[in-house]
Amino acid sequence: MDWHQMSILSGGVCTLAIFSFLIKENPFYRIFEHIFIGIASGLGAVMGVRYFLWPEIIKPMVGKDIIVFPDGTYSKPYDPLYLLYLFPLLFGLLYYFIYSKKYGWLAKIVIGFSLGASAGLAFKGFFAEMVPQLSSSFKQLVVFTEGSFDLYGTASNVVFVFTLLAVMYYFLFSFRGEGLAHKAISGSGRWLMMICFGAFFGSTVMARLALLVGADPVSTE
Amino acid sequence: MGNLDRRIIYLLVVVALAYPLLEKWSIKPARMASADKFFTIVESLAPDKSLAFVALDFGPNTKAENSPQAEVVIEHLMRRRIPVILFSQYVLADPFLKSIPLKIKEKLEEEYQGQTWRYGFDWVNLGFRPGGGLIIQSIPKSKSLQEVFKVDANGTPLKELSIFKEDVPIEKISLLAEFTGLVGAFDTYVQFFQKADYRPVFGHGCTSITIPEAYIFLDSGQIKGLLEGIAGAAWYSQRLSQKYPNRGKDDALLINTGLGIAHLLLILLILVGNLGENIGHIKHKGGVG
């Protein structure tokens, strides 16, 4: 049995162990659940060191990325500026003071920095993502294609704009609406959302079945 | 019907899914308009001027959908000799970055005797890089990809690889293709993989569960082509087979057939279950009345 066959076999055993939960909760399932969590955590740490910490930070810092040619010359000179990486590296390590009662405040500086940076990124990302969507929601209610009336395009845009307005109206809680028009628009918004949730659920079922296919090593190897 | 043991339902679903896969039986997939758009985008790329940046942000959990999607698109790019730069911001994607292009290379070299597809010329694997949105943001901000990545997944300096002989700024990337089931990973490309005056054509492959969200980006024009779950991959595969008739069957068509059969079974069970439940309810009411 070669490595490939062994990997397929072990994959099969692991899959069956997890699927055994479908029959009932059992120790076999529990053991493999813990193995998976352990592997995922370990793999994440190793990959972080292998693909980032070593090649991007430590290797250039200690000059290990410089190749020495047979004639004794170097591929590039050592750049001492890489030692500046030590400052963010040490700053990041302050996070581990979270385990200390006395110096726990040091970890808060790192957390604050991370929160600030994440908020800044999210703010920038929000506009880059949402503005095109907002502008694309302004649609023509009567569509003409190559000079002639486009029934499909018109119907599609009317449904889109009505759904957008009805669902937004449903979530207006600032005032108490009354009357037939309010009930009709708000009720339509609710029904349209129900249809949307149905589509979401259908696609969720489809994705779950696809996961089952992914567990079959024969089909996708 | 209400008393049917759920384990019997599981068994029926497994049989319905497994039969087409084991028997290698596939049926013609349904036409997917957004997959057609993706196909047309790749067809329109000029082989001598274009570069494709392909992000595989999926792991074993969604490989049944994302892997066939990535395979058909990369196969199409490699058939058209458009250099592919592979990258991932998802740690578990690492094995796929290596195995998928190699699998396609073998397939193509078997089909086109005498022709070769070589690492460094036809594709480069930049590997997994941690940092998520930060690393994606640094791509448009830098002078070139070489400045951000420096080495490939094997530790080879990028300047030693043919694709990177010249500087590759974001403006040289004609197509950005991203395959994932993670909405967060996809968002980072929408948000940051662009400059004020340049944004590459963006094609996306999503899992079934994220289709409704992906449609929003398709409607707004932020993505130009979309592979919706395995159905999108199957239609793309069909289009490839129409253009290249000597091409063999692939996983996309088989998985799509299996899923289609399983869906029919589920619809049948839902209908029969609801019908049985309602008949029982009416009988019960009638008995009481």
Side-chain angles (χ1 to χ4, degrees):
Chain A
M1 187 182 286
D2 61 16
W3 278 108
H4 181 65
Q5 287 167 326
M6 274 176 68
S7 69
I8 289 179
L9 185 68
S10 58
V13 171
C14 293
T15 306
L16 288 176
I18 296 299
F19 278 171
S20 69
F21 185 77
L22 293 173
I23 299 168
K24 63 175 185 176
E25 168 80 52
N26 63 79
F28 191 51
Y29 162 76
R30 280 279 166 210
I31 290 168
F32 277 83
E33 189 191 26
H34 285 89
I35 290 173
F36 281 159
I37 294 167
I39 288 175
S41 313
L43 186 72
V46 169
M47 293 301 227
V49 172
R50 188 179 157 195
Y51 282 115
F52 180 67
L53 209 55
W54 172 247
E56 302 286 338
I57 306 290
I58 299 172
K59 212 173 160 185
M61 214 159 58
V62 296
K64 282 278 182 189
D65 60 336
I66 300 167
I67 304 162
V68 184
F69 296 117
D71 61 357
T73 56
Y74 296 95
S75 59
K76 60 178 181 180
Y78 176 71
D79 186 353
L81 284 175
Y82 278 121
L83 290 171
L84 289 174
Y85 281 162
L86 278 171
F87 292 105
L89 201 66
L90 291 172
F91 180 67
L93 286 172
L94 293 180
Y95 199 95
Y96 286 95
F97 278 107
I98 203 160
Y99 298 111
S100 161
K101 276 185 183 170
K102 195 175 175 186
Y103 300 106
W105 60 273
L106 285 168
K108 285 182 185 170
I109 300 173
V110 187
I111 294 168
F113 178 81
S114 309
L115 284 175
S118 305
L121 268 177
F123 193 71
K124 185 187 171 195
F126 175 81
F127 283 100
E129 189 176 321
M130 289 299 166
V131 170
Q133 290 177 21
L134 279 172
S135 57
S136 77
S137 67
F138 304 129
K139 291 183 188 289
Q140 280 179 285
L141 290 179
V142 182
V143 181
F144 288 91
T145 309
E146 291 168 2
S148 56
F149 178 67
D150 181 350
L151 181 64
Y152 177 76
T154 302
S156 175
N157 285 4
V158 167
V159 170
F160 180 94
V161 173
F162 178 73
T163 307
L164 180 74
L165 295 176
V167 172
M168 283 176 72
Y169 185 78
Y170 177 77
F171 284 106
L172 277 179
F173 300 121
S174 308
F175 59 90
R176 186 185 170 88
E178 279 171 6
L180 198 64
H182 162 75
K183 276 185 185 167
I185 298 171
S186 182
S188 305
R190 193 159 64 92
W191 273 99
L192 288 162
M193 276 193 294
M194 291 297 168
I195 294 167
C196 181
F197 296 149
F200 271 38
F201 184 68
S203 62
T204 306
V205 172
M206 199 152 76
R208 296 290 174 258
L209 289 177
L211 289 183
L212 189 59
V213 181
D216 164 23
V218 181
S219 68
T220 49
E221 280 299 324
Chain B
M1 195 70 188
N3 299 325
L4 184 67
D5 192 327
R6 61 193 162 90
R7 283 167 292 193
I8 294 173
I9 298 174
Y10 295 145
L11 193 66
L12 287 172
V13 171
V14 168
V15 172
L17 271 175
Y19 179 76
L21 297 173
L22 295 173
E23 289 296 315
K24 305 280 178 199
W25 172 62
S26 65
I27 51 174
K28 194 183 167 191
R31 181 177 173 269
M32 308 294 282
S34 45
D36 265 341
K37 283 182 190 164
F38 205 144
F39 187 90
T40 312
I41 290 166
V42 177
E43 268 306 291
S44 66
L45 297 174
D48 50 341
K49 293 181 201 158
S50 308
L51 261 178
F53 189 92
V54 179
L56 309 183
D57 297 320
F58 62 88
N61 46 351
T62 60
K63 80 166 185 182
E65 291 187 284
N66 290 138
S67 181
Q69 291 170 345
E71 281 175 31
V72 289
V73 173
I74 295 171
E75 182 190 326
H76 195 187
L77 289 163
M78 284 171 78
R79 278 181 188 277
R80 300 206 62 235
R81 296 283 185 182
I82 291 158
V84 177
I85 300 165
L86 290 158
F87 164 80
S88 180
Q89 52 168 312
Y90 185 53
V91 65
L92 295 177
D94 191 52
F96 299 106
L97 292 169
K98 290 173 190 145
S99 65
I100 290 177
L102 284 175
K103 185 179 171 183
I104 295 163
K105 169 194 158 73
E106 282 171 21
K107 182 181 176 177
L108 294 180
E109 287 179 357
E110 201 180 305
E111 193 179 319
Y112 299 99
Q113 296 288 327
Q115 288 194 45
T116 53
W117 276 261
R118 288 179 294 163
Y119 182 78
F121 286 85
D122 296 292
W123 84 94
V124 165
N125 174 14
L126 295 178
F128 154 74
R129 303 291 165 124
L134 286 172
I135 195 150
I136 303 301
Q137 194 177 212
S138 62
I139 294 172
K141 281 188 172 174
S142 62
K143 198 174 79 185
S144 64
L145 284 184
Q146 289 94 321
E147 197 179 296
V148 182
F149 294 102
K150 294 186 182 74
V151 293
D152 72 353
N154 307 314
T156 310
L158 292 188
K159 60 185 176 191
E160 291 178 17
L161 302 167
S162 175
I163 293 176
F164 289 103
K165 277 278 184 258
E166 290 173 15
D167 275 356
V168 180
I170 190 173
E171 288 86 352
K172 276 201 178 173
I173 296 168
S174 327
L175 171 73
L176 164 66
E178 200 252 354
F179 304 93
T180 190
L182 304 164
V183 176
F186 166 66
D187 281 350
T188 57
Y189 294 93
V190 175
Q191 293 169 354
F192 302 125
F193 205 97
Q194 58 183 302
K195 272 186 167 175
D197 54 350
Y198 185 75
R199 178 197 293 236
V201 179
F202 191 178
H204 175 48
C206 64
T207 52
S208 314
I209 204 163
T210 55
I211 292 172
E213 280 163 284
Y215 276 145
I216 301 168
F217 295 92
L218 191 68
D219 183 69
S220 65
Q222 286 162 298
I223 55 173
K224 303 290 181 196
L226 175 69
L227 299 187
E228 299 123 313
I230 196 67
W235 179 248
Y236 201 106
S237 173
Q238 181 75 14
R239 289 290 312 266
L240 273 180
S241 297
Q242 284 166 357
K243 188 164 184 213
Y244 305 99
N246 295 332
R247 182 178 176 270
K249 274 186 185 176
D250 60 18
D251 294 339
L253 291 171
L254 295 173
I255 299 172
N256 190 48
T257 306
L259 280 178
I261 304 289
H263 287 164
L264 282 177
L265 174 73
L266 284 183
I267 291 168
L268 187 75
L269 286 171
I270 290 167
L271 286 176
V272 172
N274 275 284
L275 204 65
E277 189 71 18
N278 281 302
I279 290 170
H281 190 65
I282 291 164
K283 272 186 182 171
H284 179 71
K285 272 184 94 175
V288 171

